[in-house]
């Protein structure tokens, strides 16, 4: 059976629509953030990153927005495709002598054809 | 270009047995990491290594041992496996700095009976 805490947040979109996946981070000292994509049975794959001195960064079909005031990170995927179906999770990193990397638990994105 | 590989991909063992998971990278990255991924917990850092013969504990190191005699290899050993160590284990590497993007292997699914 299923247990509390095993459910990932899910987002279901139609092919061609834009997707927005959100992540709340906890450490105000984090200075580097990464979005990863993980397909079933595979390791996490780097998508895009952003440093804390930036608010926005764009890649190919993806944009990451960082709001340090509310400690919020979002990943926008334009024209979502079936191949985008995966679990997406953010990672926050604080560097220096107190290195700490924390991964979020992820969001399951399902793209309907 | 093999990148980062893990072996075995699947392993079943019994409680109390010693098991070693292998990780090999061909990029000559300085940093290597071991994570476990469990439902409800996301990715958790077990150990990491800054260079050959330099290792540090992560968030959940108990019950695990690592070594790094060569830059390209970072084996993870469970000295006396327990059922709670049933998980998917990922190895990762990053080029230069501790905060650099990490590149993940395909994972090893370990079941402890």
């Amino acid at each position: 059976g299923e247990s509390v805490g095993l459910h990932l947040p899910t987002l279901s979109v139609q092919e061609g629509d834009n997707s927005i996946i959100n992540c709340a981070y906890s450490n105000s000292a984090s200075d580097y953030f990464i979005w990863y994509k993980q397909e079933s049975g595979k390791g996490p794959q780097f998508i895009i990153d952003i440093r804390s001195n930036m608010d926005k960064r764009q890649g190919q079909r993806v944009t990451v927005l960082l709001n340090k005031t509310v400690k919020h990170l979002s990943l926008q995927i334009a024209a979502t495709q079936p191949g985008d179906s995966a679990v997406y999770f953010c990672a926050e990193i604080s560097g220096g002598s107190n290195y700490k990397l924390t991964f979020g638990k992820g969001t399951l994105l399902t793209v309907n054809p | 270009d093999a990148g980062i590989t893990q072996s075995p991909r699947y392993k079943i063992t019994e409680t109390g047995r010693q098991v070693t998971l292998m990780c090999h990278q061909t990029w000559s990255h300085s940093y290597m990491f071991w994570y476990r991924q469990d439902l409800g917990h996301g990715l958790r850092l077990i150990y990491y290594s800054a260079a050959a013969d330099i290792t540090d504990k992560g968030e959940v190191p108990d019950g695990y041992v690592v070594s790094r005699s060569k830059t390209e290899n970072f084996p993870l050993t469970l000295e006396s496996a327990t059922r709670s160590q049933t998980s998917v284990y990922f190895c990762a590497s990053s080029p230069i700095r501790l905060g650099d993007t990490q590149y993940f292997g395909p994972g090893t699914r370990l079941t402890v009976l």
Side-chain angles (χ1 to χ4, degrees), chain A residues 5-8 32 34 36 38 41-46 49 51 89 93 95-96 99-105, chain B residues 9-10 33 35 37 39-45 48 59 90 97-107 109:
Chain A
L6 294 183
H7 290 283
L8 287 174
Y32 181 50
I34 306 171
Y36 284 94
Q38 187 174 21
K42 296 184 179 179
Q45 177 186 3
F46 169 86
D49 59 359
R51 302 255 171 215
F89 53 91
I93 298 172
Y99 169 78
K100 185 174 176 62
L101 183 150
T102 305
F103 287 92
K105 293 183 174 55
Chain B
R9 294 294 314 279
Y10 302 91
F33 307 82
Y35 294 90
Q37 187 175 41
L39 286 173
H41 290 283
L43 282 162
R44 292 183 290 174
L45 181 64
Y48 66 101
E59 181 184 355
F90 288 100
R97 293 181 302 271
L98 198 52
D100 281 348
T101 300
Q102 295 183 21
Y103 299 89
F104 285 79
R109 182 174 293 277

Side-chain angles (χ1 to χ4, degrees), chain A:
Chain A
E2 294 177 329
S3 303
V4 173
L6 294 183
H7 290 283
L8 287 174
T10 58
L11 175 65
S12 183
V13 301
Q14 290 298 122
E15 181 177 359
D17 287 351
N18 297 333
S19 303
I20 299 176
I21 300 170
N22 297 304
C23 177
Y25 64 94
S26 57
N27 186 359
S28 57
S30 293
D31 52 10
Y32 181 50
F33 304 87
I34 306 171
W35 277 102
Y36 284 94
K37 171 186 180 183
Q38 187 174 21
E39 297 174 276
S40 181
K42 296 184 179 179
Q45 177 186 3
F46 169 86
I47 301 174
I48 192 168
D49 59 359
I50 188 167
R51 302 255 171 215
S52 60
N53 61 352
M54 303 171 67
D55 298 321
K56 179 179 180 179
R57 188 159 189 225
Q58 288 184 294
Q60 186 177 12
R61 282 201 307 118
V62 295
T63 301
V64 55
L65 299 177
L66 175 62
N67 185 331
K68 294 182 287 293
T69 303
V70 295
K71 292 189 284 190
H72 182 268
L73 197 65
S74 69
L75 176 70
Q76 300 178 0
I77 304 174
T80 314
Q81 303 168 1
D84 294 328
S85 294
V87 174
Y88 291 81
F89 53 91
C90 63
E92 57 174 310
I93 298 172
S94 57
S97 58
N98 293 318
Y99 169 78
K100 185 174 176 62
L101 183 150
T102 305
F103 287 92
K105 293 183 174 55
T107 296
L108 174 62
L109 174 66
T110 302
V111 182
N112 302 310

Side-chain angles (χ1 to χ4, degrees), chain B residues 8-25:
Chain B
R9 294 294 314 279
Y10 302 91
K11 176 72 176 179
I12 299 174
T13 191
E14 295 177 336
T15 301
R17 289 191 180 268
Q18 182 180 69
V19 59
T20 296
L21 309 183
M22 304 302 294
C23 178
H24 176 77
Q25 52 108 351

